[in-house]
């Protein structure tokens, strides 16, 4: 060990990783593992990874230096320019990007690798996965967003649909690959065989839309239409204010803040989905109030009302925010710029120090690794079987983290109370024709499969005693309340680690456990606004557009990754610890290119509509024949430009030709010519995508209240020996009280009757 590791060991010390990647997703996966202490060997061509030359602003680094994004993604890795059997057989994890045909052409065969190294974990990252009718189909993140439905519900219907800027899907794919690798690795460390995880970027991106097909089914709602939040990002006296309201109470508080009592008189306005039809009426009333006040004044006033309001950040401003400065979020990269630190903090372990990125082939002549000696048992089963998780999370980000754990086999016990159920059970609308309307929340359904639900009133001495009994038997506790909540219950990390020294306690506060913004209210749209993602989403001369919560699952997957890294540390050392994963820092890691390129080149990335920030590409959303019919298309190479020119008869602008074409038919002509293209669809109809259907991404389950439905899975093909990812529908409130409290807490039927009579447990929200 180095001196640094003697002081603060890394969670993934001695983990060996080979990264063979030509895209951000693979590089970010390798970065996450390297930051956590893995030895990552990057395989690149003799001419270097193309990302060495990529800048989002089109600026050229001085003196032939690597681009800042490359230096950020590859700090601390080693580089080789060839793939040897010794390199692969000495590894624990291999990450490789490409379709089956592309990877096979490089001489890589996962089956052969697993035959030679039975303990190896191989993660392949491709646009559509290695199986199915679209497996070799050309794509870009831009077209994948359209295929997933993520683009189709964003933007004013008077204009085109709007994609999310900033390569968000690439980063989400990267963190999913890193999480999947560590989850499968845990199975190996427990004596199981290695695995090939076949990951689909389309599936990872589909997990960033909020299960709108379930919304249509559960609430008997029409397919969601394109819109923007109202209010959302609004002009103030000296800039833009980001507004994000999730609950009905927040809407009432907002009405009081802006002195518009008439907002409380229209029932539809309590739900975001009902405000769109009133958008002009709402904006006419709030606009004078907003323009009379500065951004700082409005944000400060919002805190008094406990509202998630934020100043809009961009590459020039985000590093100067006082909270981020005080917490030391930005740290120096040896290449000469500041970058966000890894988006997790551990109380015992620490990330690797930020080192230089490798030069091409700098380790070609170095000895790498000796082969691992392993004799895995031929055991089948889920990699996280035996891991018990006490899950206090609510809304979307936290439950998405435990959703991934439960799918990989962890036993997840979801803790709610009848006094305060998970708010996402009834955010966004409710059924009025059923008695148990709180059981119909579509985001709750999407993110809570495979879990058991227990209700406990933690403000009662009895409920607190029972939760401590559960925690004493757990491997993980995870929560995403504001920081003061767990402390008020006496369930802070010090207390829980004294109760259970091997416990991994994961906390997911919006802004962290310290700092000026510690107690601010914040949701995913708030983070998207602060971190710059909203700044680069939207049309050039119009207001920025909210990415719409896609960073909830992004934060959840980062938390799941950090949790797995901490479990690896516990397995090696026997020590539990606190793991802090602030949502804002996850998003800042994804938007890191913005402040880096501002610092290095003075360039502020601006909104470019659907044209993106990849110099040399032709990309846009084009109207086709028919009512509100659109396609997304990306043209990246000369070959693709030539193919497009041949299709449209040599015209310079494809828009007039595309306007005469049927969207579905022309997409098939484009992809047959090797051009990435996709029909822009409503997220409600993504369940009809033939590739997702073939891969079984949506699995059928029957809920006792709502009946049969289709539920999303992790973005990997099923592992060997696994029939399905999902085996249990999302739980009804308190459905497993008897099962869990008798099995793990020794309660009798008489005890349960007394607890129910006292309101400590129950199956119906209090007061209903």
């Amino acid at each position: 060990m180095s001196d640094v590791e003697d002081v603060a060991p890394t969670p993934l010390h001695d983990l060996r990783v080979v990264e063979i990647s030509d895209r951000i997703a693979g590089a970010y996966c390798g970065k996450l593992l390297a930051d956590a202490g893995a030895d990552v060997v990057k395989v690149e061509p003799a001419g270097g990874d193309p990302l060495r030359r990529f800048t989002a602003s089109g600026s050229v680094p001085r003196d032939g230096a690597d681009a800042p994004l490359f230096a950020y993604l590859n700090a601390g890795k080693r580089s080789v320019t060839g793939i040897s059997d010794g390199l692969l057989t000495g590894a624990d994890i291999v990450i490789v990007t490409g379709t089956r045909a592309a990877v096979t052409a490089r001489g890589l065969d996962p089956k052969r690798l697993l035959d030679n190294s039975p303990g190896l974990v191989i993660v392949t990252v491709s646009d559509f996965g290695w199986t199915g009718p679209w497996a070799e189909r050309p794509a870009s993140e831009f077209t994948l967003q359209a295929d997933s439905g993520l683009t189709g519900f964003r933007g004013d219907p008077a204009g085109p649909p709007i994609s999310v800027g900033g390569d968000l899907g690439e980063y989400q794919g990267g963190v999913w690959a890193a999480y999947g690798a560590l989850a499968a690795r845990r199975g190996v460390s427990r004596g199981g065989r290695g695995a090939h995880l076949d990951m689909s970027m389309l599936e990872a991106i589909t997990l960033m839309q909020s299960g709108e097909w379930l919304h249509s089914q559960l609430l008997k709602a029409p397919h969601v239409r394109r819109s923007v939040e109202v209010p959302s990002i609004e002009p103030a006296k000296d800039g833009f204010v980001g507004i994000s309201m999730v609950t009905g109470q927040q809407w009432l508080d907002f009405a009081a803040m802006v002195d518009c009592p008439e907002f409380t008189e229209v029932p539809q306005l309590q739900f975001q989905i009902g405000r769109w039809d009133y958008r002009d009426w709402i904006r006419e009333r709030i606009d004078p109030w907003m323009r009379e006040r500065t951004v700082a004044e409005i944000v400060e006033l919002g805190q008094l009302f406990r509202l998630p309001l934020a100043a809009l950040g961009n590459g020039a401003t985000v590093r100067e925010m006082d909270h981020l400065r005080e917490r030391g979020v930005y740290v120096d990269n040896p290449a000469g710029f500041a970058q966000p630190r890894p988006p997790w903090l551990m109380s015992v372990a620490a990330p690797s120090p930020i080192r230089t990125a490798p030069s091409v082939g700098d380790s070609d002549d170095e000895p790498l690794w000796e082969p691992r000696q392993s004799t895995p048992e031929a055991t089948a089963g889920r990699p996280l079987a035996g891991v018990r998780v006490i899950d206090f999370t609510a809304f979307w980000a936290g439950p998405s983290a435990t959703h991934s754990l439960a799918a990989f086999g962890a036993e997840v016990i979801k803790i709610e109370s009848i006094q305060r159920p998970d708010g996402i059970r009834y955010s966004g609308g409710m059924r009025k024709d059923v008695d148990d309307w709180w059981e119909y929340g579509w985001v709750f359904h999407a993110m809570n499969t495979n879990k058991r639900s227990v209700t406990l009133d933690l403000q009662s001495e009895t409920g607190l005693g029972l939760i401590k009994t559960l925690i004493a038997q757990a491997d993980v506790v995870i929560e995403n309340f504001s920081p003061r909540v767990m402390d008020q219950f006496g369930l802070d990390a010090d207390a829980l680690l004294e109760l259970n020294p091997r416990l991994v306690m994961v906390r997911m506060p919006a802004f962290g456990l310290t700092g000026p913004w510690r107690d601010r209210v914040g949701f995913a749209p708030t983070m998207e606004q602060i971190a710059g993602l909203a700044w680069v989403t939207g049309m050039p001369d119009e207001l920025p557009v909210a990415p719409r919560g896609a960073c909830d699952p992004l934060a959840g997957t980062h938390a799941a990754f950090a949790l797995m890294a901490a479990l690896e540390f516990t397995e090696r050392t026997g020590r539990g610890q606190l793991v802090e994963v602030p949502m804002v820092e996850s998003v800042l890691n994804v938007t890191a290119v913005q402040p880096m390129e501002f610092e290095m080149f003075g360039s502020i990335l601006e909104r470019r509509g659907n044209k993106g920030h990849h110099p040399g590409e032709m990309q846009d959303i084009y109207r086709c024949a028919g009512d509100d019919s659109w396609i997304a298309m990306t043209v990246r190479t000369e070959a693709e430009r030539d193919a497009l020119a041949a299709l449209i008869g040599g015209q310079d602008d494809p828009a007039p030709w595309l306007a005469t074409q049927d969207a579905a038919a022309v997409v098939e002509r484009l992809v047959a010519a090797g051009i990435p293209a996709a029909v822009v669809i409503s997220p409600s109809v993504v369940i009809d995508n033939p590739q997702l259907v073939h891969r079984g991404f949506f699995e059928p389950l029957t809920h006792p209240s709502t009946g049969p439905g289709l539920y999303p899975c992790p973005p990997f093909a099923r592992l060997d020996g696994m029939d399905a990812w999902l085996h249990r529908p999302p739980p009804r409130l308190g459905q497993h009280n008897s099962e869990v409290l008798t099995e793990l807490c020794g309660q009798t039927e008489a005890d349960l009757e007394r607890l129910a009579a006292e309101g400590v447990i129950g199956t119906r929200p209090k007061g209903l």
Side-chain angles (χ1 to χ4, degrees):
M1 283 191 175
S2 70
D3 291 339
V4 171
E5 289 168 334
D6 286 337
V7 174
T10 59
L12 299 182
H13 173 72
D14 197 37
L15 187 73
R16 304 170 178 180
V17 179
V18 175
E19 173 203 310
I20 310 169
S21 171
D22 60 357
R23 63 192 301 170
I24 290 172
Y28 189 61
C29 173
K31 170 187 161 46
L32 290 164
L33 296 165
D35 286 343
D39 181 9
V40 178
V41 176
K42 178 181 184 64
V43 180
E44 56 183 328
D49 183 339
L51 285 174
R52 289 184 181 272
R53 298 174 290 280
F54 168 75
T55 59
S57 61
S59 303
V60 179
R62 294 179 183 173
D63 304 322
D66 289 326
L69 181 62
F70 179 87
Y72 167 69
L73 291 173
N74 293 282
K77 299 176 185 176
R78 298 192 279 171
S79 169
V80 298
T81 56
I83 303 172
S84 66
D85 285 345
L87 174 67
L88 299 174
T89 57
D92 301 308
I93 294 170
V94 173
I95 309 294
V96 57
T97 62
T99 65
R100 185 198 296 268
V103 171
T104 301
R106 301 196 67 166
L108 293 171
D109 177 1
K111 184 178 184 306
R112 182 179 67 83
L113 287 174
L114 287 168
D115 287 342
N116 293 337
S117 301
L120 187 63
V121 172
I122 305 158
V123 183
T124 55
V125 178
S126 59
D127 290 324
F128 297 106
W130 275 22
T131 59
W134 290 10
E136 299 290 335
R137 190 179 180 98
S140 64
E141 181 189 331
F142 182 67
T143 65
L144 293 173
Q145 284 194 30
D147 276 324
S148 75
L150 197 63
T151 303
F153 75 150
R154 185 183 304 99
D156 191 317
I162 302 292
S163 67
V164 181
D167 293 311
L168 178 62
E170 286 289 315
Y171 289 94
Q172 177 70 321
V175 69
W176 262 114
Y179 161 75
L182 290 190
R185 173 70 188 162
R186 183 175 176 88
V188 172
S189 70
R190 293 301 183 93
R193 295 183 63 83
H196 170 204
L197 279 76
D198 167 17
M199 200 195 95
S200 157
M201 288 290 295
L202 173 60
E203 293 167 22
I205 291 172
T206 301
L207 285 164
M208 292 197 297
Q209 65 117 314
S210 54
E212 291 297 332
W213 67 92
L214 284 166
H215 179 204
S216 297
Q217 174 206 320
L218 296 170
L219 295 192
K220 297 187 180 300
H223 292 163
V224 67
R225 297 177 301 145
R226 188 159 75 256
S227 65
V228 295
E229 281 71 16
V230 180
S232 178
I233 296 167
E234 308 296 336
K237 189 175 184 178
D238 60 345
F240 295 117
V241 174
I243 303 171
S244 173
M245 288 175 287
V246 174
T247 68
Q249 183 61 50
Q250 287 170 344
W251 174 251
L252 300 178
D253 293 339
F254 177 77
M257 185 184 82
V258 298
D259 195 25
C260 288
E262 61 269 34
F263 287 175
T264 68
E265 297 166 5
V266 182
Q268 297 96 302
L269 300 186
Q270 288 199 41
F271 303 109
Q272 178 60 245
I273 203 166
R275 293 175 209 148
W276 176 250
D277 291 338
Y278 291 81
R279 59 194 179 278
D280 294 335
W281 183 75
I282 291 171
R283 287 198 164 116
E284 285 170 6
R285 281 154 180 75
I286 68 171
D287 192 64
W289 188 94
M290 300 284 293
R291 291 184 184 272
E292 289 173 1
R293 294 165 174 82
T294 67
V295 171
E297 289 169 344
I298 295 169
V299 171
E300 184 176 354
L301 189 57
Q303 298 316 305
L304 298 177
F305 283 86
R306 299 291 295 160
L307 290 172
L309 309 184
L312 218 64
N314 63 31
T317 63
V318 68
R319 281 182 53 208
E320 303 307 313
M321 295 180 178
D322 60 342
H323 177 80
L324 305 181
R325 286 203 315 270
E326 185 166 319
R327 279 180 56 86
V329 169
Y330 283 88
V331 293
D332 290 335
N333 184 293
F337 56 82
Q339 68 175 59
R341 67 189 177 192
W344 49 266
L345 297 167
M346 297 186 184
S347 58
V348 179
S352 292
I354 298 174
R355 293 158 289 169
T356 57
S359 56
V360 179
D362 68 353
S363 294
D364 275 345
D365 298 324
E366 293 179 8
L368 292 171
W369 304 308
E370 294 295 323
R372 290 289 199 197
Q373 300 300 318
S374 64
T375 54
E377 303 168 10
T379 55
R382 295 172 190 256
L384 300 187
V387 175
R388 179 172 292 153
V389 179
I390 306 302
D391 177 8
F392 290 97
T393 65
F395 288 93
W396 189 3
S400 74
T402 50
H403 174 256
S404 61
L405 301 174
F408 272 78
E411 176 194 359
V412 177
I413 301 172
K414 183 175 180 66
I415 306 298
E416 302 176 80
S417 68
I418 60 171
Q419 292 79 12
R420 189 176 177 177
D422 183 345
I424 207 69
R425 283 185 179 273
Y426 39 72
S427 290
M430 60 184 70
R431 288 275 292 271
K432 296 184 178 178
D433 58 337
V434 294
D435 180 57
D436 57 349
W437 50 265
W438 60 88
E439 299 294 356
Y440 287 73
W442 73 94
V443 179
F444 181 92
H445 271 245
M447 291 293 104
N448 286 283
T449 48
N450 286 10
K451 303 177 188 178
R452 296 193 285 178
S453 170
V454 170
T455 51
L456 286 172
D457 178 9
L458 300 185
Q459 294 184 315
S460 71
E461 188 175 333
T462 307
L464 204 54
L466 288 169
I467 198 64
K468 288 180 178 178
T469 301
L470 287 174
I471 290 170
Q473 303 170 70
D475 300 286
V476 174
V477 166
I478 181 168
E479 60 90 10
N480 67 332
F481 299 126
S482 58
R484 66 185 188 281
V485 173
M486 293 295 277
D487 297 350
Q488 287 172 348
F489 291 138
L491 299 176
D492 57 279
D494 288 344
L496 296 190
L497 285 164
E498 184 176 344
L499 179 68
N500 181 349
R502 289 180 61 91
L503 186 73
V504 172
M505 184 182 188
V506 179
R507 304 191 68 177
M508 300 175 61
F511 298 107
L513 299 174
T514 60
W517 300 355
R518 174 186 186 270
D519 293 318
R520 282 193 182 182
V521 179
F523 295 99
T526 318
M527 312 308 149
E528 295 160 1
Q529 293 156 2
I530 290 169
L533 205 61
W535 183 266
V536 296
T537 300
M539 304 307 288
D541 300 321
E542 299 177 8
L543 291 173
V545 175
R548 214 163 219 178
C551 286
D552 265 317
L554 180 88
T557 317
H558 276 94
F561 167 79
L563 187 159
M564 292 308 309
L567 281 177
E568 177 96 358
F569 180 84
T570 301
E571 191 81 358
R572 191 174 76 248
T573 67
R575 299 184 67 182
Q577 62 185 314
L578 168 66
V579 182
E580 179 187 351
V581 190
M583 183 187 289
V584 71
E585 295 190 33
S586 293
V587 187
L588 290 168
N589 269 261
V590 166
T591 61
V593 71
Q594 293 188 44
M596 292 188 311
E597 295 211 2
F598 176 74
E599 183 177 1
M600 295 294 281
F601 310 127
S603 300
I604 300 176
L605 298 187
E606 302 283 359
R607 290 177 296 290
R608 300 193 68 232
N610 292 302
K611 297 186 184 302
H613 288 93
H614 286 246
E617 288 187 352
M618 184 177 79
Q619 172 178 289
D620 214 337
I621 286 176
Y622 298 92
R623 188 184 290 276
C624 291
D627 181 35
D628 200 32
S629 180
W630 306 82
I631 69 162
M633 181 176 70
T634 304
V635 181
R636 301 168 291 197
T637 66
E638 283 302 317
E640 290 169 1
R641 288 179 188 276
D642 291 345
L644 178 62
L647 279 176
I648 65 176
Q651 302 172 43
D652 292 332
D653 181 4
W657 180 76
L658 288 168
T660 67
Q661 304 294 309
D662 174 78
V666 80
V667 161
E668 293 309 312
R669 291 183 66 187
L670 289 164
V671 298
I675 300 165
V679 178
V680 178
I681 62 167
S682 163
S684 305
V685 301
V686 70
I687 53 175
D688 298 326
N689 180 287
Q691 178 68 10
L692 297 178
V693 170
H694 177 93
R695 298 227 339 149
F697 176 68
F698 304 105
E699 290 186 356
L701 295 169
T702 300
H703 186 275
S705 288
T706 67
L710 291 173
Y711 293 86
C713 298
F716 305 99
R718 294 175 190 85
L719 302 178
D720 286 347
M722 182 188 291
D723 293 330
W725 284 107
L726 310 178
H727 58 87
R728 190 194 298 269
R732 289 171 53 89
L733 182 66
Q735 179 179 342
H736 303 97
N737 285 339
S738 176
E739 182 181 308
V740 171
L741 297 178
T742 55
E743 173 189 326
L744 298 179
C745 298
Q747 299 295 288
T748 65
E749 288 301 321
D751 293 330
L752 296 173
E753 290 176 10
R754 174 179 51 79
L755 292 171
E758 295 173 355
V760 176
I761 65 173
T763 57
R764 189 178 185 89
K766 190 172 182 179
L768 296 179

